[in-house]
Amino acid sequence: MCSPRRHPLLVPALLCAFAVLAARPADAADTGGDEDAHGGPGTGLSAQVARLYEDAAIASQRYEAGRREAEEQRARALRLEALLDRERREIASMHEDLGRIARAQYRSGGELPLTARIILADNPDELMRGQRVFSQSQLTVRKAIDKSRRAESRLAADEAKAAAAWRTLEQRTTELADLKKGIERKLDQARGQLQGQADASAAAGACRGAVRLDQPQATAVTSAWVAPVASYVLSAGFGSGGARWVSRHTGQDFAVPIGTPVRAVGAGRVVKVSCGGAFGIEIVVQHAGGYYTQYAHLASVAVDQGERVSPGQWIGQSGTTGNSTGPHLHFEVRVTPGMGSAVDPVRWLSARGVAL
């Protein structure tokens, strides 16, 4: 079991996460068949894409965490180097002080023994007092130099440890980056296969049926309303003009990669699951208050018609079926199940506490 306790130089949690990530892609890769325990052709591929999607997100987070930790270790090494430079300057200054004291001693008495200087001195008592002051000053400076040298030795050891830790973390970050790229390559390949199956279904006008996905547990939704996808870039907005639409765009597009989990924005009942036509594979959900939400151009569906859904539940995966020029989710809000009654989905969600 991996310990959660943090070491001042290394990050066991990061290395534990790395070990976990290293195992997961292999498991995902083993699901290359088109069937799984949930039944139905193609369900294994959809589940694989969903798992790889999560793995890629986790790998990205761990990579960023490793990169930040490596930068912190490098900054620590630089701070220690600055402390070492200061210690070296202080030692050099102390050596100069010793030199000045030695020169003053030489000028006051040359190389004569102390007994001879006492005999020859005009004021032996004053000479003795000066000698005691010199001896005390010399002892103080030597102690300070010894202390500084010990501090320099400790700082040098700390610097070496910090530099070694930084090199280790940099290596781990490189390994995480390679792992992340490997997951993304598998995900791109699986996405292509998933879209191919979706295109075939849309062309035939017959959906394959619900592909049950493992719902995320760590990020349980507590609000009544959510955005239809967790991470996105807004593209074509409501009311936009363009050659692809008869008049105006009737929804809000979310630019997301193929296979991105699509979420029900709120509690409701699935009233339509269909394939083919301009919207490709689509889902329509009825909500309280007489509103309907549509999720179109999907690559797969994870719910059946008549099923109840909850806020944040994965109901499908994004794609580019139907009248689509690239991977995205077309999200629409209506006051009737069919077309022709759309309202601005951004304002509708904003009124329910969801800012896009």
Side-chain angles (χ1 to χ4, degrees):
M1 179 177 290
C2 299
S3 170
R5 182 173 60 86
R6 291 176 62 88
H7 189 279
L9 292 175
L10 297 178
V11 186
L14 176 63
L15 304 186
C16 293
F18 172 77
V20 172
L21 280 173
R24 290 191 68 179
D27 296 338
D30 291 340
T31 63
D34 286 338
E35 297 184 11
D36 66 6
H38 297 295
T43 57
L45 181 58
S46 294
Q48 179 185 358
V49 171
R51 283 194 294 269
L52 286 170
Y53 181 90
E54 288 188 294
D55 285 342
I58 293 172
S60 295
Q61 293 170 2
R62 299 306 180 194
Y63 168 75
E64 289 301 320
R67 184 186 58 78
R68 287 193 298 270
E69 193 65 31
E71 289 298 325
E72 290 173 4
Q73 291 294 352
R74 182 164 59 182
R76 175 179 172 82
L78 292 174
R79 289 194 299 270
L80 288 172
E81 180 61 32
L83 287 174
L84 280 172
D85 287 341
R86 188 176 69 185
E87 290 290 339
R88 294 185 185 108
R89 288 194 298 271
E90 290 178 356
I91 288 175
S93 176
M94 290 178 183
H95 279 298
E96 291 179 2
D97 290 341
L98 274 181
R100 284 193 295 270
I101 292 172
R103 287 191 296 273
Q105 182 187 26
Y106 179 79
R107 285 194 298 270
S108 61
E111 295 182 354
L112 291 175
L114 179 59
T115 303
R117 279 185 277 146
I118 292 173
I119 294 173
L120 297 175
D122 296 331
N123 190 338
D125 291 337
E126 183 177 346
L127 177 63
M128 289 301 295
R129 284 195 298 272
Q131 182 64 30
R132 284 195 296 271
V133 170
F134 169 76
S135 298
Q136 291 173 356
S137 300
Q138 190 177 43
L139 180 61
T140 299
V141 171
R142 284 177 176 170
K143 285 182 178 180
I145 289 177
D146 290 341
K147 181 180 178 181
S148 182
R149 283 175 175 167
R150 289 194 299 270
E152 181 181 15
S153 178
R154 288 195 302 270
L155 282 171
D158 287 343
E159 180 190 39
K161 290 179 182 178
W166 174 67
R167 287 192 297 270
T168 300
L169 281 169
E170 191 176 49
Q171 179 182 355
R172 295 298 187 224
T173 302
T174 301
E175 292 171 352
L176 281 170
D178 292 340
L179 176 62
K180 177 174 173 286
K181 290 178 182 177
I183 293 173
E184 289 173 346
R185 282 194 298 268
K186 293 179 182 178
L187 182 55
D188 286 341
Q189 182 180 6
R191 281 170 171 161
Q193 295 173 359
L194 181 63
Q195 184 60 44
Q197 292 181 349
D199 289 338
S201 296
C207 295
R208 298 196 315 270
V211 176
R212 302 299 173 179
L213 301 175
D214 293 333
Q215 299 295 321
Q217 299 296 327
T219 56
V221 174
T222 57
S223 57
W225 301 95
V226 298
V229 284
S231 180
Y232 54 84
V233 173
L234 295 178
S235 49
F238 179 76
S240 301
R244 295 192 303 277
W245 309 299
V246 176
S247 56
R248 293 288 179 178
H249 192 221
T250 54
Q252 173 63 57
D253 287 350
F254 295 78
V256 289
I258 294 168
T260 300
V262 173
R263 310 187 297 188
V265 296
R269 182 175 64 90
V270 179
V271 296
K272 182 181 181 181
V273 176
S274 67
C275 298
F279 288 118
I281 299 175
E282 64 170 318
I283 297 170
V284 177
V285 177
Q286 181 183 17
H287 304 279
Y291 288 100
Y292 299 80
T293 53
Q294 179 204 32
Y295 313 79
H297 305 307
L298 302 177
S300 73
V301 296
V303 290
D304 290 316
Q305 192 164 310
E307 187 174 333
R308 302 292 304 183
V309 295
S310 57
Q313 179 180 335
W314 286 358
I315 60 174
Q317 291 168 285
S318 64
T320 183
T321 54
N323 183 16
S324 171
T325 59
H328 73 284
L329 169 69
H330 173 85
F331 174 71
E332 195 165 308
V333 179
R334 305 168 177 166
V335 295
T336 64
M339 293 180 59
S341 62
V343 299
D344 188 341
V346 174
R347 291 183 179 179
W348 188 83
L349 284 173
S350 177
R352 287 154 181 78
V354 180
L356 299 179

